[in-house]
Structures are given as structure tokens and as C-alpha cells.
Amino acid sequence: MAGFEMNDWKKIGLGLTGFGVFFSFLGIIFFFDKGLLAIGNILFISGVIITIGIKSSIQFFTKRTNLKGTISFGVGFFFVIIGWPVIGMAIESYGFIILFSGFWPTLAVFVQKVPVIGWVFQQPFIRSFFERYRGKRVPV
């Protein structure tokens, strides 16, 4: 159970990740503002690194199966920085989906247990969609 304890570093990391998502959302809402998108990306990546640790982050991002997603995310971030935010966000989105595709089944189980919106995801049609991937859950 030592891996599940919430210390101060994990709290800071989750906060940075949340702010990263928030600034990225604002950047998209404000017609792909490259400043907000860049801040969101920096906060998101630094939050993930602080949350899971430097060694685990390096292992995760350089794993052979995640290398394509890491490169795509990095190239997308580069395009955002040089001033092409729409193309950059499209490439980053692809990289994000490839990088974190192993966590979608775990996320699906989590969303089904959320009190307010969980009942929507427990409807038969949606639940059957999630049941296909339940056996492939990644331990978090």
C-alpha cells in the first residue's frame, strides 16, 4: 500500500497536471492561443513527472511501445511553440491517445463508479462498450 499514499509531492504533481489541463482547455477555447497551450503543456508534463517520479517517467516515455506517442507529443509541442497551434494540438492529441491508451480501461471503470455521472456510463449500451476492454486494465 506504500505506492498509494498521497504525499506532498504527489499533491503538487496532481495540481500541476490539473492546471495543465485547465490551461490547455483555455488555450483551445480562446481559438488556439499558443501561449496558453504552451503553458498548459509545460504544466501537464511537469505534473506527470512530479506525480509518478523522474525514473518512472523516463521509463514510461521511453518504453518501446510508447515511443511513437512520445515523439508525436514532442513534435506537436514544438509546432505549438513555433506558432502553428492547430497542427500542433492535432499531433499532440494523437500522441496523447497513443501514450495513454493503456489507461483507458482503468479510466472507464473509474468513471462508472463516480456517483453523479456513473449511472450514465452504467447504461447497457455504454457498459457493453466498456466491457470489451475490462480485461486489459493496467494496474495504476
Side-chain angles (χ1 to χ4, degrees):
M1 290 300 250
F4 294 116
E5 67 185 34
M6 185 66 86
N7 60 16
D8 289 339
W9 283 105
K10 288 185 181 182
K11 291 177 187 176
I12 292 169
L14 288 174
L16 287 174
T17 304
F19 277 119
V21 170
F22 176 70
F23 276 99
S24 295
F25 176 72
L26 281 180
I28 292 170
I29 293 297
F30 290 133
F31 301 111
F32 292 94
D33 180 51
K34 69 178 181 177
L36 289 172
L37 291 173
I39 290 170
N41 287 333
I42 291 169
L43 290 173
F44 179 78
I45 292 298
S46 61
V48 168
I49 290 172
I50 290 175
T51 302
I52 65 175
I54 294 173
K55 184 178 178 182
S56 297
S57 298
I58 290 172
Q59 288 175 348
F60 176 74
F61 288 114
T62 59
K63 196 178 350 177
R64 186 170 177 87
T65 57
N66 294 343
L67 206 53
K68 188 163 78 169
T70 302
I71 292 170
S72 297
F73 195 86
V75 168
F77 180 69
F78 175 74
F79 277 125
V80 168
I81 295 295
I82 65 169
W84 294 352
V86 176
I87 295 170
M89 284 305 292
I91 296 171
E92 275 186 26
S93 299
Y94 172 74
F96 183 82
I97 290 170
I98 297 298
L99 269 174
F100 297 104
S101 63
F103 294 106
W104 297 125
T106 305
L107 182 66
V109 170
F110 172 75
V111 168
Q112 286 178 350
K113 295 182 184 206
V114 173
V116 178
I117 60 171
W119 66 272
V120 173
F121 289 96
Q122 290 183 359
Q123 299 303 318
F125 175 74
I126 297 173
R127 191 172 190 165
S128 67
F129 177 75
F130 287 139
E131 289 292 328
R132 281 190 265 168
Y133 301 107
R134 183 166 284 209
K136 300 176 187 175
R137 285 183 58 198
V138 175
V140 178

